[in-house]
Structure formats: structure tokens, C-alpha cells
Amino acid sequence: MKRISAAVALAAAGALVISGCAAGGGDSNNDDSGLVEGSSITAAWNQAFYSMNGNTSFGNATANNNINYLVLDGFNYYNNTPELVENTSFGSYEMVSEDPLTVKYTINEDAKWSDGAPVDASDLMLHWAALSRALDTPDFDPADFTDPDTGEFTEEFPTDVVYFDSGATPTSGLGLVSATPEVGDDGRTVTLTYDAPYVDWELAFATMGSMLPAHIVGKKALGIDDNEEASQAVLDAIENNDAADLAPVSAFWNSGFNFTEMPDDADLVVASGPYMISDYVADQYVTLTANPEYTGDNAPNIEEITIRFISDPLAAVQALENGEVDIIQPQATADITTALDGIDGITVDTSLGGTYEHVDLQFDQGKNPQNIFSNAKAREAFMKVIPRQEIVDTLIKPIIGDEAIVRNSQIFVPGAEGYDESVAANGSDAYADVDIEGAKALLAESGVTDTSVCILYASNNPRRVNEFALIQASAAQAGFNVTDCGSEEWGGLLGTPGAYDASLFGWQSTSLGVTNSLPTFETGGINNMNFYSSEPADDVIAQLNTEFDEQKKIDLQIELDKTLWSDFYGVTIFQFPEVTAVSDRVTNVTSSILAPTVFWNAWDWQVADSGSEE
């Protein structure tokens, strides 16, 4: 076994996705693309795929976006430096004006979907309509139409409203593009004009893993058989703001790409990226096969990648040792590192990753009949009983030693510029140690009589099970009755009204953009799963969206961090230790601190015995 160890810190806060947890080519023995016919490898992940739309509140999860990244092409992506790479083989973009901010996007002529349909302006316009929500029916609230058991919309969802479940707000990202974009005469260009400057404009639109096929949405939502006619119908509905057609279009965009096994309808897995979904057995695996219509620079070397779902980290290690899988990145525990030490023929990389563990409290619509955490004193009391240091000492230090520290900022990564200054001022020191007596006093002052707190977490994740037990035992000493809302389907339940009172999970960074983590804290943002709403926080977020000065951005983030702690938002716990283990039969596998971590360059992976260089 070869072991690599590294500690990495992100330079800035990144876009966040719910966590479940160098490019190189090669010689070809088949054709100019490097694809080796019949080649295959197997990777493992700890949670099953369930949606090809990672832009909805339901589908925004690492388990989905690892796969979506490989099947849906886009204008840019991050490598493992990390640095932003423009994917010019898919298309190009340019800022044509600073005031007002105006950006033109152009799709390459040879970009196609896997069914042969061209990628064109209709796809870009659907992406804008969904991620801007500029055409949504005003003031519609979907809360009453969300299933508390699954997190999906119910059959009672109104059929006459336009509602794209992207969490877009009018003060950030594509929400700042309220005017319908201009489509070029060639049908491949779209020009977006922003209502205000937006510092992270390069990250706002159609990055890899996000843009869905408009012609498929048109076929399914509008009952049109012909691809070209369906594509045009979607474009017409958007350009004409036709609510009658946009209602079913938005409904299908929201839910039509959710599936937990291989759909009977092949249209639902139409892809634009280097791979396409070719098989899916429920709760077992997804198989990706090289997309024959793909013409971009990221053409794969391996014809077939199977991603097995193995929730138990030790079972993933056993599968690697048995040769059943070639790549694993399990939830790291001390048992995992010990088990990997005994395996020959693998390389292990241990580092600090871009994911952080935290507990969020539901400010509204919790499971507790009294909605316990709508009460500020109850929130503060609960934060005082979470044994953050004990969790780190017990579960994380045995993996990475002294690199295991409590994270004390909601915004900054430890080691990043601004972290130490923010921690000194944000008030997190009040929760450095468990304070049972202080929590008892606050709980008594709160007037809450029902102290039940149901915590949502991944019940099939051993580390989270242990974290829950430590929190439950500590909270009981202060009078909280912590109950178990753990679920294997926890990701889809996040944000579901009435499903739980607190949540324990990880946010994984997907970019270095300063603004893209802000939808976690912005009122109505897509990542705002706990109904938090703060006028001061929203004001700072609005300023960050348009601030280009580096020091001012840091100052504003420090201000936001302090606001979150003073509002008793919840607590951060630790930065994830990340363990990647790779069989020596696969080469060119490197992990990135940003999502999709180990999958970021899957097109470069090679089977070592296929004649490739090492």
C-alpha cells in the first residue's frame, strides 16, 4: 500500500452541496479518443443516486451530483488545484459589458445530446428560467404540497402554477437576471443582462452537471413527440411568458428526473457529457457508459464505470480488498484507516476535505408541536449541550491526529484568510465546551414545555450514528428529550416541513466563489433548509453579491458569521477528514477538495493493464 497524506484549506467559502459524505491523457489502443473498448472499473459511494436534477431542493446532494457531473456537460468546472477551467469544447462565454453586466454564452455547433438532438439556446433558456425563477407565479408557497416522508412534491401540487424549485432569489445569481435573455439568430447563443453587478458571474450559469435537456422536458410536459418541435415549444413558452405551458414545464423540471432505478423511458437519461446512465439497479449500483455522441475534450478512456452504493465504510474497504471495487472514498473513521493499512496493491490519500459537519436548528415548521427552535433561548440552550470537542476527540482525532480541530465558523474554512479574525469576534467561543447548567437555565427561561428534539441524520452512516448518540446523551442532562429522526433517505427530507427539529449533516464546497455559499443563509435560498430568515443577514448577503473588493468581501463575511452565531443558527463541528483509496489497476485518479472530489476527472481514468502509460 502507498499512502499519501496532505492537509488542505480552501481559500474561500464555496458553493455548497449536501454531502453523503491532475488531468492527464493516455495512449490509445482503440481510436484517437483514447477510449478502450470493453474497459470497465467500479467505484463506490455511500449513498444511492436519486435525481438527475441537482438544482432542486430535493435533488441537491453529492450522491446525485457526482453522477450528474459526468452526464451533463457545461461551460466550466474546477480541477484539483483547484482552479476554474473553461470547457471551451462545449461552448464559450464572454462579458460584453460591465455596466450593465452583460454576458454572452455560445454553444459549439457540434455539441449534442446522446439522442442526437443538438444542445442549443432552448436548453440555456430553460436553465435561466429555472435558476432565475423570473417567470414563476408570484407569492406561491409549495410548503403545503411537500410530502413529509419523502421530501418530494405531492400529487395535490397545483397544476396551474409556474414554480421552479431552484431556490433562486432576486438578489443573487441568476435571480439578478430578471429580464428574459436575448437569443441569437443562430439558435446557439444567449445573452444575459444582470440587474446589478454580480461578483461570481462566471459560476452562475450552466456549469458542468447542471443543464437539463429542454427537448425532453418539452416532450414530457407538453406532449410533443418531435424533438425539434418540443425544444421550440419550450423556448416559445419562455420567451412569451406563457404560463399555461410553463406550469407543466416547471412541474416536470422539478420532479420528472427523479428516479431510484433505471427508468423505462430512455428519454429521462439523455445526456450531454462524456458518460450516460446505461443501467441502474435500485439501491445497488448505477452504470455509466461512454456517450457515443460526445465530441468534447473530456472524452473518456474507460468505456464503463459502475458506481456501487455501499453505505457501510468497512464494507467498502472489504469490497476494495476483494477486488470488487477499484476506487472508494468512504466516510473516514479510525477503523477505516486501520483496515486500509493491511491491504496491498492500493494507494491511500488522507487529507482534510472541503466538507464540514454541522447541526442546524429548524427556526420554523419543525416536528415538535411547540416548534421548539422558533424560541431563541431554546436554540441557545441546545447549542450549549452539543459536545463538539468530544465528537472531534472521539471520532476525528484517531483518523488525522492533531489536524483534527473544531471548526468555529459558519463561513470560513480553518486556515483560510479571515478565519481567525472571524472566530475571535463571532461568539462561537460560548459553545467551545458543553455547558449543562447554562442550558438548563436558558431552557427554563424559554417557557418551552415540550422539550422533544428529533434529529435528522444518515442512519446508515456509522459516524453519524455515534455523533447522534453523543448529542442525545449530553442534551438529556439539560432536560432535552432528543429523539431519532435518522433515515437512509435523509437527503431528500432536508427542508421538509414537519419532518424534524434539527439536522446533522455535511455541506460540501463545490466552488471557490464567495457568494455561492450564501443561499444557505439567505431567506428562501435553495440551501436554506431550516427556514432561517434574518434581515441583517440578507442585507450583508445582498452586499456580498455585488462587492468586488477582496478586503471588503472578507469584512462582510465576518459580519455575516457573527450574525449567524448571535441568531443561534446552529453549530459547526469539524472539517471532514477525507480518505481516498485506489486500486493499482486504475491510474490517473486524483481527488479534489471541491465536489465532485474523486470524480472530477473520471474521463482521464485508465485501466493500468490496458496499455496506458503510468
Side-chain angles (χ1 to χ4, degrees), residues 169-510:
T169 62
T171 58
S172 63
L174 290 184
L176 289 167
V177 185
S178 60
T180 302
E182 179 183 344
V183 176
D185 292 338
D186 59 5
R188 294 184 296 105
T189 63
V190 168
T191 301
L192 282 63
T193 301
Y194 285 75
D195 302 330
Y198 183 61
V199 63
D200 287 329
W201 63 269
E202 277 196 273
L203 304 173
F205 194 64
T207 57
M208 283 182 60
S210 62
M211 191 170 67
L212 294 165
H215 68 287
I216 298 300
V217 174
K219 288 171 71 173
K220 306 307 172 186
L222 303 176
I224 301 171
D225 293 330
D226 181 78
N227 285 344
E228 186 175 350
E229 290 179 13
S231 175
Q232 187 62 49
V234 170
L235 182 58
D236 290 343
I238 294 169
E239 292 193 307
N240 298 327
N241 194 4
D242 182 346
D245 280 352
L246 285 173
V249 163
S250 64
F252 191 85
W253 186 90
N254 291 337
S255 305
F257 294 94
N258 298 340
F259 49 88
T260 55
E261 61 184 352
M262 194 65 185
D264 294 332
D265 187 349
D267 282 348
L268 300 184
V269 293
V270 166
S272 57
Y275 284 96
M276 56 188 295
I277 297 174
S278 57
D279 193 16
Y280 182 7
V281 176
D283 298 320
Q284 295 187 40
Y285 63 83
V286 162
T287 298
L288 306 178
T289 301
N291 178 1
E293 295 290 341
Y294 181 75
T295 58
D297 289 343
N298 297 327
N301 297 315
I302 296 174
E303 186 171 34
E304 186 175 277
I305 297 175
T306 295
I307 301 173
R308 283 185 56 188
F309 309 130
I310 306 177
S311 60
D312 184 340
L314 284 172
V317 172
Q318 188 64 57
L320 179 68
E321 184 174 20
N322 294 344
E324 298 166 8
V325 301
D326 303 293
I327 301 169
I328 65 172
Q329 196 172 70
Q331 291 278 331
T333 66
D335 290 341
I336 292 301
T337 56
T338 299
L340 289 170
D341 281 338
I343 303 177
D344 294 326
I346 66 171
T347 298
V348 178
D349 180 5
T350 303
S351 60
L352 282 177
T355 302
Y356 70 94
E357 192 84 330
H358 60 102
V359 173
D360 290 350
L361 308 180
Q362 298 305 100
F363 280 62
D364 193 13
Q365 302 189 53
K367 186 180 181 68
N368 180 299
Q370 294 182 353
N371 201 22
I372 184 170
F373 291 137
S374 64
N375 185 302
K377 289 186 182 296
R379 294 199 303 274
E380 184 181 4
F382 196 74
M383 287 169 61
K384 284 181 175 292
V385 302
I386 298 176
R388 302 162 71 215
Q389 189 65 57
E390 183 181 8
I391 289 171
V392 170
D393 290 344
T394 304
L395 302 177
I396 309 303
K397 274 194 176 181
I399 305 171
I400 53 175
D402 291 340
E403 292 178 9
I405 60 172
V406 174
R407 170 168 165 156
N408 288 309
S409 173
Q410 295 279 4
I411 304 297
F412 295 95
V413 177
E417 184 179 3
Y419 177 82
D420 290 340
E421 185 180 356
S422 189
V423 170
N426 65 17
S428 60
D429 56 346
Y431 313 99
D433 300 307
V434 170
D435 180 5
I436 298 299
E437 294 307 313
K440 283 182 178 179
L442 284 165
L443 198 54
E445 293 173 17
S446 73
V448 170
T449 57
D450 186 339
T451 63
S452 60
V453 176
C454 203
I455 299 181
L456 175 68
Y457 66 97
S459 60
N460 56 350
N461 182 316
R463 188 168 70 200
R464 296 251 167 79
V465 171
N466 289 329
E467 289 180 71
F468 170 79
L470 290 171
I471 293 171
Q472 184 181 48
S474 178
Q477 297 178 58
F480 285 102
N481 175 29
V482 172
T483 58
D484 193 336
C485 272
S487 170
E488 294 186 14
E489 311 301 327
W490 63 275
L493 288 169
L494 281 170
T496 301
Y500 57 95
D501 301 301
S503 55
L504 170 66
F505 67 104
W507 279 124
Q508 184 175 53
S509 296
T510 64

Side-chain angles (χ1 to χ4, degrees), residues 514-569:
V514 69
T515 63
N516 290 327
S517 63
L518 303 184
T520 305
F521 311 113
E522 183 178 24
T523 300
I526 187 173
N527 288 347
N528 188 332
M529 305 293 186
N530 61 341
F531 304 99
Y532 173 70
S533 182
S534 161
E535 199 170 309
D538 288 345
D539 180 60
V540 173
I541 289 168
Q543 293 178 64
L544 273 166
N545 284 323
T546 61
E547 182 55 69
F548 287 77
D549 182 87
E550 293 302 321
Q551 185 56 51
K552 289 180 180 178
K553 284 191 287 189
I554 290 175
D555 292 343
L556 286 167
Q557 290 177 89
I558 291 172
E559 184 179 347
L560 177 60
D561 203 16
K562 185 176 182 179
T563 297
L564 294 168
W565 285 95
S566 64
D567 284 343
F568 315 116
Y569 178 90

